[in-house]
Amino acid sequence: MIVAKRKPFKEIKESVSGANKILILGCGTCVAVCLAGGEKEVAILASQLRMALQLENQNVHIDELTIERQCDREFIEQINTSVNVDDYDLILSTACAAGVQLLSDVFDHKVVVPGLNTTFIGVAEGPGVWTERCRACSDCVLADTGGICPVTICAKGLLNGPCGGARNGKCEVDPEKDCAWVLIYNRLEKLGRLDKMKKIHAPKRYSVQEHPATIIHEAYKHRYTV
Amino acid sequence: MGQSFEEALTSGKFLIVTSLDPPKGTDLEGIAGVIGKLKGVVNALGVYDNPRALMYMSPWAICRLVIEQGVEPIMHVTCRDRNRLALQSDLLAAASIGIKNILCVSGDHVMFGDHVDAKPVHDIDSVHLLSAAKALSEGNDMAGNPLKGSPAFCLGATANPEANPLEPQLIKVDKKIQVGASFLITQPVFNMDNLKRFVDHVKESKVKVIAGIDLLVPEEVPKYRDGSYPGLFVPENLLEEIAGADIEKCVNVAGDLIKQIKSANLCDGIHISAPGHEEKIPDILKAGGL
Ligand code: SF4
Ligand code: SF4
């Protein structure tokens, strides 16, 4: 899932300044799971903004709405069944930044600003804790690294083993974090696959990382080609 | 210049090398003086490449100064600050001004340095850099394009015998040897059993092991302890010994380590690191019986 965290309140408040009618639009998927931009977080942000603006005697009307997904046109287009987007001068989106952009494409006559900082692709480790697991490098090496990503977990993204800095199995950069290559070594040893670690990995092919990337599924290609 | 570093490596002679931080700024006077003092004392003089991610002058310029003063340089090259294009360009540039010995390193993380917001590059790792340098020596760039004129490098790598666990280090070091490292300069060593385990592992290969010796000084003890020097793992008893010591005592501690290495006949040489105290290097060697 995509993990995000809320922007500092001051920054959000500045980004909505000047608007008299604001729609705070939450997203019910990843950012709801990571407690950053779902229905509850939208309600909290709305109350905070209302209070802060009232204290400054600003007469700003704020509405709240959360849709299932902001990264999909079908869901965004349904917004108009609940609210009239044209009633608002600004939409504050608490989706991930991909959702914010699609929203801005669909309503390209509206000001759309983000309420979150999109941070990583990760997993839920336990209640309230998420960790980064993938940098979407488009050339996955997990088959050789015991299912542990060196591109993401190693602070230097090293592909052929550890640097000389790991201290008692912890990364030189942060004693709280495990050294990716010690984790990989232990996992591969457990799996009886240490030969995988002995293989020399060629440098990463950045050419396969298209930016901005597009994927068109085989079955749909005919729709998009002339 | 007599015997080259590469020849000395294979001669069986016990080698003495050290490395210097380049200046921060354009003033070369200080470093020129240090190089002058080390001439005739060391077999080769390394020049660090933005060590601990602190921004200094590029090492090739200082390596050139080292050559002009009649000493053979070892240029450290880190993968942290340049992508594969820039690294290969710099290797060619280095070769063109007479630099032969290249030490390929990953590089300490950016967060240790003085430009913490810099982007850590790490486009390729130290294993890739060694193979790139090797490819250049063989007349091709990393992409396989032919070169017009190719360098003749003597390639080195680093390793940490004090790493815990050691096994992942050993796997990496095997790769470095496999792709062309002919010498290894280790991180500072303190425990001879650890060094022996390491040397036993690599002794099947022809690689030469130059053991790291650090001049530990009392003012840095808190930093040794808290991990401010990545890859430097000083045992607690030594930290306590150093904490209240004067510089002579510190020199003797480093000298003792050299004696232990020599008497156990573990390595092909030593690399002394004494940043800011380079003038003490002859004393350290003397204390080590060299
Ligand atoms: S190698 Fe790492 S960053 Fe690349 S796709 Fe696999 S998990 Fe993601
Ligand atoms: S200590 Fe381990 S995780 Fe950290 S940078 Fe070095 S190899 Fe990567």
Side-chain angles (χ1 to χ4, degrees), chain A residues 153-158 161-167 170-173 178-182, chain B residues 109:
Chain A
I153 318 288
C154 168
K156 298 173 190 169
L158 303 177
C163 69
R167 225 178 155 89
K170 300 292 176 186
C171 178
E172 71 171 30
V173 168
D178 293 321
C179 165
W181 279 103
V182 173
Chain B
H109 196 272

Side-chain angles (χ1 to χ4, degrees), chain A residues 156 163-164 197 199 201 204, chain B residues 84 107 128 160 169 175:
Chain A
K156 298 173 190 169
C163 69
M197 188 161 160
K199 165 176 156 189
H201 278 268
K204 266 227 151 316
Chain B
R84 64 192 84 178
H128 303 139
N160 198 344
Q169 269 301 300
K175 294 186 189 186

